[in-house]
Each structure stands twice: as structure tokens, then as C-alpha cells.
Amino acid sequence: IQQNRYAYSTSPELSPNILRDFVERPRLIPTDTACLWLIIFDGMRFDTWEAIVKPRLQQVFEIKKEKAYLSPLPSWTSIARTSITAGRTPDLWKGFHNNFTYNQALLAGKFFGLPENQYQQKLRFFSGMESDRTHNQFDRSRRYPYNILVFNISDDDLHKQRDHIGALNENIKSAMDRILHFLDGLIQKDDTVIVTSDHGFM
């Protein structure tokens, strides 16, 4: 990375390319009737995806494409996650007035080409989706073309876990049941869903 930082930051295997690969290049244009859902599972390990999350999702969804990515800074959640929602590495996190910003919703709106005065009406961003309080703030009756939801299915448990990986996976199975119950009725047949981890093995 030190010897050729530009090659690293522009690598197609880096996670800022997720939205570029799955939205920009296929020229996906979300609407109120064909929405985009970016669902981020905080700290999801790659083996957790293979063993628990992917098989559970396949009971409900058809997985059409799968690709592995590297996080720019796996140990720092805010940098790892914002790089995904911004579609860019931190040196390019610029707001509508070319000012540096960490605002994930704003950066996502700019990436999607939404005007400054419209992105909050077109894009819904919620983190902490595992909490009941966030659920209560979520308006299920309204459809947004762009939706970004962050669920903590493993990151908190990884910090607290003193047992074996099987115990962690059992907790994740329960979390996935709650998540799919929440998503039931929200995601419709013409919608596109992108699922990713934000840091760690993606």
C-alpha cells in the first residue's frame, strides 16, 4: 500500500466498488415501484455469510450475483462503512459544496446523482436497525427509491463473545429470523437487494 497507494485505492476489489458494480455499471435506476435496498450487516464475517446468512437468505431470495471485496480499513467501522455508501475512498468524501463530510446518507445521495434538495425525499438511511426504537421510527407505508439499512448481526457479539464460534452463529441465526420478519412485505418483486458486510471479510 505504501509503495503504490493509488493502485490500492483504485483496485476493483475494494469495497467502494460495490455500488459501482451492482448499480452504476448495470445502469440500475430505482423508482418508487422498483426500489433499491442496500442492506449492510455490521461486521459480518465471510464464513458467517457462507454458513448462516446466505443459506437463510436463499430461502426467501434468489441470489443472482456474488462477489468478494476488501475493505479499505477493516478495523475502523466508520471508514469501512462510509466507503461503501459513498462509493469512494475517504479522500473523495465530498459533499454537494465540495466540502469534506462523513454524512453517509448525503454521500450516497450524491453518488446516486440525486440533487441536494431531493436526496432526503428519495433516499432512506437507517443504522441500528436491530433496535425496537429504530423500528418504531421506520415508516413501512412509504416507498423510497433508495434504501440503506444497517443491521448489527455480529459486530457487538464479536466484541463480547467468550464462547466458541458456534454460539455466535446461533445468535446470528436468531438475528436473521428477526431481520427477514422485518423485511417481509417491505421488499417487493421488482426491487433489487444488495447485501454486504461493512468491514472484516466481505
Side-chain angles (χ1 to χ4, degrees), residues 16 20 25 30 58 92 100 118 175:
R20 196 163 282 109
R25 288 196 178 98
Q58 285 178 312
L92 299 174
F100 180 83
Q118 291 184 20

Side-chain angles (χ1 to χ4, degrees), residues 97-149:
H97 304 286
N98 209 35
N99 56 312
F100 180 83
T101 180
Y102 272 102
N103 187 319
Q104 295 178 52
L106 186 152
L107 288 167
K110 191 176 177 194
F111 177 87
F112 292 130
L114 303 176
E116 182 179 9
N117 63 348
Q118 291 184 20
Y119 85 90
Q120 290 179 310
Q121 286 75 46
K122 300 278 187 181
L123 186 149
R124 169 166 46 193
F125 179 95
F126 276 94
S127 62
M129 285 301 303
E130 66 281 354
S131 78
D132 291 336
R133 191 172 81 174
T134 307
H135 284 198
N136 293 335
Q137 297 171 348
F138 192 94
D139 184 0
R140 298 182 67 90
S141 65
R142 184 175 172 190
R143 297 270 287 169
Y144 287 73
Y146 300 87
N147 303 268
I148 301 175
L149 307 180

Side-chain angles (χ1 to χ4, degrees), residues 3-147:
Q3 289 174 352
N4 195 340
R5 184 180 176 279
Y6 177 79
Y8 174 72
S9 64
T10 58
S11 167
E13 297 174 350
L14 221 55
S15 63
N17 289 296
I18 290 172
L19 292 179
R20 196 163 282 109
D21 290 345
F22 288 87
V23 179
E24 187 178 78
R25 288 196 178 98
R27 298 182 180 177
L28 180 69
I29 303 175
T31 66
D32 292 343
T33 55
C35 303
L36 170 68
W37 299 84
L38 173 61
I39 296 176
I40 299 174
F41 291 147
D42 188 4
M44 177 177 65
R45 295 158 52 102
F46 192 78
D47 56 297
T48 299
W49 163 255
E50 288 287 345
I52 307 297
V53 178
K54 180 180 175 181
R56 187 68 182 89
L57 288 175
Q58 285 178 312
Q59 295 175 6
V60 181
F61 299 108
E62 176 190 4
I63 297 178
K64 292 188 174 182
K65 184 178 178 182
E66 188 175 357
K67 185 177 176 182
Y69 293 87
L70 299 171
S71 175
L73 191 57
S75 58
W76 198 339
T77 304
S78 61
I79 288 180
R81 185 184 301 161
T82 309
S83 293
I84 294 171
T85 56
R88 291 171 172 83
T89 49
D91 52 319
L92 299 174
W93 293 353
K94 303 292 184 181
F96 288 100
H97 304 286
N98 209 35
N99 56 312
F100 180 83
T101 180
Y102 272 102
N103 187 319
Q104 295 178 52
L106 186 152
L107 288 167
K110 191 176 177 194
F111 177 87
F112 292 130
L114 303 176
E116 182 179 9
N117 63 348
Q118 291 184 20
Y119 85 90
Q120 290 179 310
Q121 286 75 46
K122 300 278 187 181
L123 186 149
R124 169 166 46 193
F125 179 95
F126 276 94
S127 62
M129 285 301 303
E130 66 281 354
S131 78
D132 291 336
R133 191 172 81 174
T134 307
H135 284 198
N136 293 335
Q137 297 171 348
F138 192 94
D139 184 0
R140 298 182 67 90
S141 65
R142 184 175 172 190
R143 297 270 287 169
Y144 287 73
Y146 300 87
N147 303 268

